[in-house]
Amino acid sequence: MHELSICQSMLGIVEKTMAEHPNATLERIFLDIGRGSTVESTLLSEAFEVITSGGPYEGVELVINDIPIAGRCRSCERDFTYEEFALGCPSCGSTDIEIHSGLELDIKHLEINED
Amino acid sequence: MSKVNIEKKILSGNDRVAIENRQRFSDAGLLVFNIISSPGSGKTTLLEATLDRLAGETRILVIEGDVSTERDMDRVRAHGADGIQINTGGGCHLSAKMIRDVLGELALEAADIVFIENVGNLICPSTYDLGEDIRMVLLSTAEGDDKPMKYPSIFHEAELAIITKIDLLPYLEFDVEKVGTEIGVLNPECEVLKLSALKGEGMDVWIEWIGKRLEMKRAARPVAGE
Ligand SMILES: Nc1nc2c(ncn2[C@@H]2O[C@H](COP(=O)(O)OP(=O)(O)O)[C@@H](O)[C@H]2O)c(=O)[nH]1
Ligand SMILES: [Mg+2]
């Protein structure tokens, strides 16, 4: 399970960003995690709690935007969304498809309190 | 409450190091493979058989990734490879930084090919670019023909998929054609080979594939002094 090391990489970026706001407290972290990204959101949240417990980010809220796998069929030219990777276009069954989203593993923004 | 924009890939740190590694490999004129599969799919056995076939003509380095032990490194050394073992101590994948940390100990300039055997795992390694030229996945016939759709991300990312242990096909229900079709849907550019590293069937095609890629790599390399 690599959620722990993904979480550490994410916190590395957060720490660098927070160093630019020395008097602020971190409230929320916003992530985009695609369903085809190999990262399990629940495991990531658990890893986050374990890693941050007892430290300065204990209690910070991790907000995960769960992004479904979406693409377009080159045969019938329809857009589609899957819950899981699937074989072919849900409308016409063609296997000539392209995937546009669902592989994200991104940190989007932070919410901080500057007082 | 205020908002601080970041908009970064979580693994942007790994990706940066992977770009550095890729540059170092390329400067040394190397063709680099990142081999990914479940434990026991036959990665080390394929390396042993490949080393036997290429001995003498191609100089090969191997970087072995495992949670613990030097066992795989000992196996490939016995077949003439130089290289180094990385123990991740529990980690389920190699990262670009782990590769960078051992590059100083390898005679890169003296080699033609580097094979990186990743930690046995079909999920986590697919997310970490190491700086390789070719990401390849092995699927053994004994694992079952439903695996591409169950572990789609590695098949989506790989440039080459090898179905291993085809000598076992008579004893199993494994539909080679179906696996080829499913991989084609996940990744139309992915080439699919099938072989038995133990019995030798299909090894010729794989050795030719390596030779072709080695030539392409050499042709793309700027000649010194030009
Ligand atoms: N029948 C058969 N067994 C194989 C073949 N390749 C590997 N094996 C066996 O599969 C087991 C695991 O192989 P190994 O190379 O250590 O897998 P790795 O964990 O992916 O490095 C060993 O017992 C090998 O002998 C093959 O082509 N045919
Ligand atoms: Mg091995």
Side-chain angles (χ1 to χ4, degrees):
Chain A
M1 288 303 106
H2 57 320
E3 278 76 5
L4 215 57
S5 76
I6 298 280
C7 193
Q8 277 157 345
S9 302
M10 188 265 293
L11 282 169
I13 297 173
V14 169
E15 273 165 20
K16 254 192 213 155
T17 311
M18 288 306 290
E20 295 161 18
H21 304 269
N23 299 318
T25 46
L26 179 61
E27 300 285 343
R28 287 189 192 84
I29 303 171
F30 290 81
L31 307 180
D32 274 1
I33 305 291
R35 287 199 194 144
S37 71
T38 78
V39 169
E40 183 59 53
S41 298
T42 318
L43 291 177
L44 189 62
S45 298
E46 284 172 14
F48 181 76
E49 265 181 46
V50 171
I51 295 182
T52 55
S53 97
Y57 300 150
E58 180 164 351
V60 168
E61 192 185 341
L62 190 64
V63 184
I64 298 178
N65 182 19
D66 189 30
I67 301 186
I69 300 162
R72 185 175 178 79
C73 174
R74 293 201 194 99
S75 293
C76 72
E77 302 193 333
R78 249 174 275 186
D79 294 326
F80 57 80
T81 302
Y82 309 135
E83 291 304 298
E84 307 266 335
F85 264 109
L87 255 191
C89 167
S91 305
C92 74
S94 163
T95 54
D96 188 17
I97 54 175
E98 52 194 36
I99 302 291
H100 296 316
S101 62
L103 301 171
E104 296 79 0
L105 211 51
D106 300 333
I107 178 161
K108 303 299 284 182
H109 66 272
L110 306 179
E111 264 177 26
I112 60 173
N113 246 327
E114 269 172 306
D115 38 25
Chain B
M1 191 87 74
S2 53
K3 181 176 163 183
V4 183
N5 260 320
I6 300 184
E7 298 282 349
K8 262 193 189 162
K9 287 190 190 303
I10 292 175
L11 292 179
S12 50
N14 182 78
D15 294 347
R16 230 180 1 257
V17 178
I19 290 169
E20 289 171 30
N21 291 349
R22 190 165 280 116
Q23 188 61 49
R24 278 178 77 177
F25 288 137
S26 163
D27 289 347
L30 290 164
L31 181 67
V32 183
F33 292 79
N34 177 4
I35 309 175
I36 297 171
S37 83
S38 325
S41 302
K43 296 181 292 299
T44 313
T45 309
L46 178 61
L47 287 180
E48 291 170 317
T50 306
L51 285 161
D52 290 347
R53 297 287 293 261
L54 294 177
E57 39 184 294
T58 312
R59 296 160 304 171
I60 296 173
L61 288 173
V62 177
I63 300 176
E64 285 288 351
D66 264 308
V67 170
S68 68
T69 81
E70 291 257 340
R71 285 184 179 175
D72 281 1
M73 199 62 229
D74 293 341
R75 283 174 61 187
V76 296
R77 276 211 182 99
H79 290 258
D82 275 330
I84 195 158
Q85 176 86 44
I86 299 174
N87 284 141
T88 60
C92 53
H93 60 270
L94 291 173
S95 69
K97 194 167 170 300
M98 291 179 205
I99 299 297
R100 182 182 66 188
D101 289 348
V102 299
L103 287 187
E105 296 172 52
L106 298 169
L108 297 182
E109 297 291 341
D112 303 302
I113 294 179
V114 179
F115 288 113
I116 303 172
E117 178 177 339
N118 218 311
V119 180
N121 184 319
L122 214 43
I123 305 175
C124 315
S126 73
T127 315
Y128 291 81
D129 185 6
L130 304 180
E132 71 273 14
D133 296 299
I134 295 157
R135 190 168 305 183
M136 59 185 267
V137 55
L138 306 192
L139 174 65
S140 70
T141 53
E143 288 166 79
D145 57 16
D146 58 346
K147 293 302 173 290
M149 290 321 281
K150 281 191 177 169
Y151 300 91
S153 78
I154 180 56
F155 292 92
H156 187 74
E157 301 281 331
E159 185 176 338
L160 174 68
I162 299 186
I163 300 172
T164 60
K165 309 192 190 181
I166 57 167
D167 57 292
L168 299 179
L169 281 171
Y171 313 103
L172 302 165
E173 280 184 26
F174 184 96
D175 187 339
V176 174
E177 210 167 299
K178 175 181 137 192
V179 168
T181 310
E182 292 199 356
I183 294 172
V185 173
L186 291 167
N187 180 358
E189 271 93 56
C190 184
E191 286 189 66
V192 183
L193 304 181
K194 46 187 184 176
L195 56 78
S196 165
L198 217 53
K199 304 291 176 196
E201 192 184 346
M203 281 296 292
D204 286 345
V205 180
W206 158 237
I207 297 296
E208 269 169 40
W209 198 92
I210 297 174
K212 199 177 68 195
R213 292 304 298 254
L214 210 49
E215 260 173 48
M216 279 166 62
K217 185 83 188 183
R218 286 191 181 129
R221 197 187 184 195
V223 178
E226 251 180 42

